[in-house]
Amino acid sequence: MLSLQNFTRREISTTKFILILFVVLIHCSFQTEWSINVLCSETIEFLNYIYRISVPCFFIISGYLYFHNIDRLSLRKYINKSKRRIRTLIIPYLLWNSVFLGYLLLKSLLVANSHDTIFPYGNNHFYNILFILKGFWAFEGEYPYAFAFWFVRNLIIFCALSPLAYFIIKHKFVFFSFMLFIIVCNIQCYGFSYFVLGAFLKYHPIYPRCDIKPSIIINMGLFSWLLFAILAYSLSSDRNGLEYCETIVALFFLLNLSRVITTIIKVTTIDFCSSSTFAIYALHQFFASPIKKVLRLIFDLEQFWSAIGAYFICFIILVIGSVFLWRLLYIISPKSVIIFSGDRR
């Protein structure tokens, strides 16, 4: 069945943990920053085509979870959902961006030539304040101070637009017309179409005509995922339709894989990993750039295996370091960690 209703909370949480690992791997990519082996650069670029489904999958899961206990989106349910999102999305978003803003302010005082980064208008305090406030939405390009939290920023907007999403997915004709228009016109929705897709899969699950063995689903899903990734990498052009296909098959492959994982690994281990998802998401962005600079000094990046080694070592350090720091902070101040995580435990 092509619906998230067929999977337990633990299986979905396990999938989210795998997806956040993909996000970290993308942020370990260094081919645009360092002079490295050409073959290594192309290898990492191809891997990123595989990992790129991570954020769209998160939006699909978010759309499903937003609507999973709603048969009809009334005004009262919308208000209740919005109140909960203040605690789970808005407060963490503001707090983490404030932490990064504090880091930039400290850097502007201590590091030469960095003052203009946060105070570009000199002594014009009014415009400097407006610039600082704007950074909570977009500081560098389209990213806020805490760059990984662009996902949370967009998700806040999508939750606010949930009545529109509900209108789109109520009728299949409207939904398929919307998706066809998005794909054919190659319109950038910043993830909203995936949020809508997640909601659609909640209300309109697709049932296969016959039972399919989980092993067959996993093998077919992996093959299809890699096939779409190879096609997208080969075309190297606008590939909106391919990205949707790749994302859907990858998501259900990972969900079925997570189902298998939860049967062979201890529940305590699964829950520990799942509870670390937000920690890795929030904290790895602090260390990504400094760690890559250190690895650049250690590894010969002109050598293929040396560069690949640096890539995966960076990934391991970011994941383990983020989890360790998060657990340490929880020991020191559990209430603060709960607030910063949006009450995720």
Side-chain angles (χ1 to χ4, degrees):
M1 181 173 70
L2 293 182
S3 173
L4 276 74
Q5 293 174 347
N6 200 31
F7 299 93
T8 66
R9 280 275 186 168
R10 181 168 282 115
E11 291 163 354
I12 293 175
S13 296
T14 303
T15 300
K16 290 166 68 177
F17 176 74
I18 297 172
L19 291 171
I20 202 62
L21 297 182
F22 290 165
V23 171
V24 177
L25 281 167
I26 291 173
H27 292 160
C28 291
S29 177
F30 46 72
Q31 68 265 37
T32 58
E33 301 175 38
W34 304 347
S35 175
I36 65 172
N37 182 283
V38 175
L39 178 60
C40 177
S41 178
E42 292 178 352
T43 301
I44 294 174
E45 183 180 357
F46 173 68
L47 290 175
N48 284 342
Y49 272 88
I50 296 176
Y51 305 146
R52 69 177 182 155
I53 54 88
S54 52
V55 174
C57 284
F58 271 120
F59 280 129
I60 292 175
I61 293 173
S62 298
Y64 168 78
L65 293 178
Y66 185 93
F67 289 97
H68 88 280
N69 58 353
I70 297 178
D71 294 324
R72 180 177 174 273
L73 185 62
S74 63
L75 178 60
R76 173 178 291 183
K77 290 180 179 178
Y78 176 70
I79 292 173
N80 290 337
K81 286 280 186 179
S82 299
K83 288 180 179 178
R84 175 169 170 75
R85 266 55 191 182
I86 292 174
R87 184 176 76 256
T88 60
L89 294 178
I90 296 177
I91 291 177
Y93 180 80
L94 294 175
L95 288 174
W96 284 103
N97 276 284
S98 297
V99 169
F100 271 79
L101 173 60
Y103 163 75
L104 290 173
L105 290 172
L106 182 63
K107 183 179 178 181
S108 69
L109 296 174
L110 301 177
V111 180
N113 300 323
S114 63
H115 186 271
D116 291 344
T117 302
I118 198 69
F119 299 112
Y121 296 99
N123 294 324
N124 192 323
H125 301 305
F126 176 74
Y127 282 103
N128 282 327
I129 291 173
L130 290 180
F131 180 80
I132 289 173
L133 292 176
K134 172 182 170 291
F136 280 88
W137 176 264
F139 175 61
E140 292 184 342
E142 61 185 34
Y143 301 106
Y145 293 120
F147 71 86
F149 275 72
W150 72 267
F151 168 83
V152 175
R153 177 199 63 194
N154 288 20
L155 189 56
I156 292 170
I157 302 301
F158 300 161
C159 291
L161 294 175
S162 57
L164 174 60
Y166 181 70
F167 170 78
I168 293 172
I169 56 93
K170 271 200 311 182
H171 303 289
K172 291 182 180 180
F173 175 77
V174 177
F175 169 77
F176 284 113
S177 298
F178 168 77
M179 294 300 297
L180 184 63
F181 177 73
I182 293 297
I183 293 172
V184 171
C185 297
N186 198 30
I187 296 176
Q188 173 59 264
C189 290
Y190 302 98
F192 182 65
S193 53
Y194 289 104
F195 183 85
V196 171
L197 178 58
F200 178 83
L201 292 175
K202 187 273 177 188
Y203 287 101
H204 306 283
I206 302 171
Y207 296 89
R209 293 183 177 272
C210 59
D211 292 331
I212 304 176
K213 293 181 179 180
S215 60
I216 296 177
I217 295 176
I218 291 175
N219 291 329
M220 289 178 59
L222 179 59
F223 174 79
S224 301
W225 179 12
L226 294 176
L227 177 62
F228 284 121
I230 292 170
L231 286 173
Y233 178 75
S234 301
L235 293 175
S236 295
S237 59
D238 292 336
R239 46 194 173 273
N240 217 353
L242 279 176
E243 185 174 338
Y244 283 100
C245 294
E246 182 186 350
T247 299
I248 292 171
V249 298
L251 176 59
F252 283 97
F253 161 73
L254 292 173
L255 285 167
N256 282 279
L257 179 64
S258 297
R259 172 167 291 172
V260 174
I261 291 173
T262 55
T263 61
I264 60 179
I265 297 180
K266 291 182 179 180
V267 172
T268 52
T269 303
I270 293 293
D271 290 344
F272 175 83
C273 292
S274 298
S275 64
S276 301
T277 299
F278 186 83
I280 297 170
Y281 167 69
L283 291 176
H284 84 277
Q285 56 190 322
F286 276 100
F287 316 112
S289 182
I291 288 174
K292 286 191 286 186
K293 288 179 180 178
V294 172
L295 292 174
R296 181 181 184 180
L297 300 175
I298 298 173
F299 288 86
D300 180 6
L301 301 177
E302 291 294 336
Q303 301 297 320
F304 175 79
W305 290 112
S306 180
I308 291 294
Y311 174 69
F312 285 106
I313 288 174
C314 180
F315 165 75
I316 293 170
I317 293 174
L318 288 178
V319 172
I320 295 178
S322 298
V323 174
F324 174 79
L325 180 58
W326 188 260
R327 298 296 168 177
L328 181 62
L329 292 172
Y330 186 82
I331 293 172
I332 297 172
S333 180
K335 290 184 179 179
S336 298
V337 169
I338 290 173
I339 293 172
F340 269 78
S341 67
D343 202 20
R344 294 172 177 84
R345 307 179 188 228

